Amino acid sequence: MYGYDPPLPSFELIAQGKINSVDQALKERQVINRILQDNLSKAQNQMKVYTDSKRSERNFEEWDWVFMKLQPYRQSSVAVRKNLKLSDKFYGSYQIMRKMGKVAYELKLPQNSKIHPIFHVSHIKKKVRDKTFVAQDPPFCTDDGQIRMEP
């Protein structure tokens, strides 16, 4: 409320008290406090190991070609679709202009793009191949409109 954390209750024995039961209760609380701190650090380490096992290290260089991932529910400026679940997830390929920090990259987007050019590393996928083979000609059809099966 005032901009600083409240003091934590400390149960340290500063001087020997006159009442033995109070000293004993403070010693027990110190032991319980130490056990709780150990359990919390073990739980934090276990959560960190589990989370880090699912992460992958991604590093990109400047001028690499990448695909960008857009979230159709949040970024509706790309294309308005009737069914957002079926819209494309990755768009591109675009070049990385520069690295903005440890996990942020600036992409070279088209001039008419309404998207902010800085993306988190989790929303970028590296383009693996330089060439993709796409069929340029439509398939040959018969007079009925059916696809001809023989060459």
Side-chain angles (χ1 to χ4, degrees), residues 28-151:
E28 288 175 5
R29 286 190 180 209
Q30 281 180 340
V31 170
I32 290 172
N33 195 17
R34 196 172 307 125
I35 290 171
L36 289 174
Q37 291 292 333
D38 291 342
N39 287 343
L40 281 174
S41 64
K42 285 179 188 177
Q44 286 175 345
N45 288 335
Q46 185 178 7
M47 286 186 253
K48 183 180 182 334
V49 167
Y50 179 73
T51 304
D52 288 345
S53 69
K54 295 187 174 205
R55 290 186 176 151
S56 62
E57 189 68 29
R58 297 184 200 174
N59 289 323
F60 300 104
E61 301 295 326
E62 289 184 4
W63 308 110
D64 280 350
W65 289 91
V66 294
F67 296 108
M68 66 176 180
K69 180 180 182 180
L70 297 178
Q71 298 170 341
Y73 293 109
R74 295 184 183 169
Q75 294 164 329
S76 60
S77 63
V78 177
V80 179
R81 300 199 185 260
K82 193 170 186 179
N83 191 347
L84 297 175
K85 288 183 179 181
L86 300 177
S87 64
D88 296 332
K89 289 185 182 177
F90 288 96
Y91 295 89
S93 62
Y94 302 103
Q95 275 187 315
I96 294 178
M97 294 301 293
R98 63 185 168 138
K99 187 173 183 176
M100 300 298 292
K102 291 183 179 179
V103 293
Y105 292 93
E106 182 180 359
L107 300 182
K108 184 179 181 182
L109 297 177
Q111 292 292 331
N112 58 358
S113 174
K114 297 180 182 178
I115 303 170
H116 196 272
I118 298 174
F119 286 85
H120 189 266
V121 71
S122 64
H123 293 268
I124 298 174
K125 182 168 77 169
K126 188 168 187 169
K127 183 178 177 183
V128 179
R129 296 185 204 156
D130 289 336
K131 296 181 179 178
T132 56
F133 299 103
V134 180
Q136 298 294 328
D137 298 327
F140 294 107
C141 297
T142 61
D143 295 335
D144 315 4
Q146 300 293 324
I147 296 176
R148 190 170 11 154
M149 300 305 259
E150 64 261 352

